[in-house]
Amino acid sequence: MSTSERADDLSAAWAAWADMLETRLTALADGEQVVVVAAGAARKSVARPNFLFGLIPARYVDCAPTITLIRREDHLHGSLTGSESFGGPLPMSPQEDAALKALSWRDPGSGFERTWLRYWPDDVALAPWPASANLASCADVVARTFHEVYAVGSPEEVLS
């Protein structure tokens, strides 16, 4: 997907960033990964709740939305920092959870996984790696996740 096609829905800066991410994903070898962190959207997360009737206070740490994209043969596996609603470390509102579901992220259900999950393609790969339509979709979902769900203002606030 070209920058001009993405720019219809995303700002020009985010569309260019998505194109750069798509290029990086195209070059992945089997088993390699790309980690993208929205440092500008970090939130306080409970690392340890208070105990002994509050005599020992809770401890908080900064937790930033992080997306890890791993190539596994002809698929791309994406995982996003989990929401507190299902046991993950990131405090999120119900509206943000709903927005992630609308962007095709899946919560892990009752399993041991504590991250949002996504696969590109969702089904059997119909083309060998790299399938550009799948990589364009992935880059678009990642850009929209940071920009629309976590309200990251610009790609400069995203570390990769």
Side-chain angles (χ1 to χ4, degrees), residues 6-157:
R6 279 197 178 99
D8 293 339
D9 295 327
L10 287 172
S11 70
W14 279 105
W17 183 86
D19 283 343
M20 181 272 311
L21 179 61
E22 184 179 346
T23 302
R24 286 185 64 193
L25 295 174
T26 302
L28 287 179
D30 191 24
E32 287 186 334
Q33 68 181 10
V34 172
V35 178
V36 193
V37 180
R43 301 167 181 192
K44 294 290 182 193
S45 176
V46 177
R48 182 195 69 225
N50 64 13
F51 58 97
L52 289 177
F53 307 106
L55 294 174
I56 299 177
R59 187 170 59 102
Y60 296 90
V61 294
D62 285 336
C63 183
T66 303
I67 296 176
T68 303
L69 302 164
I70 303 172
R71 177 182 169 198
R72 306 233 192 240
E73 296 179 0
D74 291 335
H75 284 80
L76 197 60
H77 172 259
S79 63
L80 168 63
T81 307
S83 172
E84 283 182 338
S85 65
F86 56 78
L90 191 63
M92 293 180 58
S93 70
Q95 294 81 8
E96 289 171 323
D97 285 339
L100 287 175
K101 287 181 182 178
L103 282 173
S104 69
W105 288 99
R106 294 177 185 86
D107 67 41
S110 60
F112 293 109
E113 192 78 31
R114 296 290 179 244
T115 59
W116 291 92
L117 305 170
R118 180 71 166 88
Y119 296 92
W120 291 272
D122 276 337
D123 204 349
V124 176
L126 300 177
W129 185 268
S132 60
N134 294 324
L135 298 181
S137 170
C138 174
D140 191 58
V141 167
V142 171
R144 288 178 186 284
T145 298
F146 288 149
H147 181 60
E148 296 172 6
V149 178
Y150 296 111
V152 176
S154 72
E156 287 80 31
E157 298 177 50

